[in-house]
Amino acid sequence: MYEVFFTYRIEIAYTIAIALILGIFQFILRKAAHKVGKHSEINITRTRLMFKYINILVLIIAVFLFSFAWGMGLDKLSIIFSSAFAVIGVALFAIWSILSNITSGIIMFFSFPYRIGDKILIHDKDMPIEAVIEDIKAFHLHLRTEHGELTTYPNNLILQKAVTLIKKDVYLDEGKDSL
């Protein structure tokens, strides 16, 4: 055991340092997302979704840094990551609408002016929708119409259409707690 530690002492030290730095980085990002969510009164489930995105980002950075710390050169890392990103890029191009909905969900987390419980009108020329926002997910909104119908509306479309706020937090007006 001593020989292994002595042989790889520099790599182990880098690994510990990277783990500590990434742990602090992840903590800061999660605190910031939580603070934005709390300040903007965003539902906790949406904040937890941001936590998942932060975890994925930190994991990708960790794989890159740990590979580099354990002796994989930049030339080998660049080949591996460029190949991986090429495959991911082709896959994401094939499913670009999912990627655009996720990106829209992230944008909506930080700057969407409407909240769960707000009654909105989406000005869609083909089918205008007047409904209450029941939930905001990673890919779509859950909208409840006056007739009780549940409509899912893609996040990327909600950012492209004009939206009018009809009534702020309908659930509180009805005596219910906000979701």
Side-chain angles (χ1 to χ4, degrees):
M1 181 69 177
Y2 181 75
E3 291 176 16
V4 172
F5 181 75
F6 186 75
T7 305
Y8 297 107
R9 68 183 180 279
I10 295 173
E11 290 86 355
I12 292 171
Y14 283 151
T15 301
I16 292 169
I18 290 169
L20 287 173
I21 291 169
L22 287 178
I24 293 168
F25 180 64
Q26 183 179 23
F27 177 77
I28 291 170
L29 287 178
R30 288 174 64 109
K31 270 295 210 198
H34 183 69
K35 192 173 188 177
V36 167
K38 193 172 185 178
H39 176 58
S40 301
E41 298 176 0
I42 296 173
N43 193 315
I44 190 67
T45 55
R46 291 186 59 215
T47 304
R48 287 185 186 135
L49 183 63
M50 286 296 112
F51 290 167
K52 288 180 185 178
Y53 294 152
I54 290 168
N55 290 343
I56 291 169
L57 173 69
V58 170
L59 179 67
I60 291 170
I61 293 170
V63 167
F64 176 76
L65 292 176
F66 286 146
S67 299
F68 189 67
W70 282 88
M72 194 173 282
L74 284 178
D75 55 336
K76 292 177 185 174
L77 280 177
S78 64
I79 291 171
I80 290 171
F81 276 95
S82 64
S83 300
F85 283 127
V87 170
I88 291 170
V90 169
L92 290 178
F93 180 74
I95 54 172
W96 69 270
S97 64
I98 292 175
L99 179 63
S100 69
N101 282 321
I102 291 173
T103 304
S104 298
I106 292 170
I107 292 169
M108 288 170 55
F109 178 79
F110 291 105
S111 65
F112 195 55
Y114 312 110
R115 303 283 176 248
I116 293 174
D118 291 351
K119 187 173 187 178
I120 60 171
L121 172 64
I122 301 171
H123 300 278
D124 189 345
K125 69 177 182 175
D126 297 329
M127 187 179 92
I129 298 173
E130 184 175 330
V132 176
I133 300 174
E134 197 170 270
D135 201 0
I136 302 173
K137 301 283 188 181
F139 299 102
H140 54 269
L141 296 172
H142 285 180
L143 303 171
R144 183 73 61 183
T145 64
E146 290 179 353
H147 304 292
E149 300 168 332
L150 178 66
T151 303
T152 57
Y153 203 80
N155 286 344
N156 61 348
L157 291 182
I158 197 78
L159 293 179
Q160 296 174 13
K161 304 287 181 181
V163 179
T164 303
L165 176 65
I166 296 175
K167 196 171 191 181
K168 194 84 172 145
D169 209 351
V170 171
Y171 292 130
L172 288 179
D173 291 344
E174 296 175 357
K176 298 178 184 176
D177 290 332
S178 179
L179 295 177

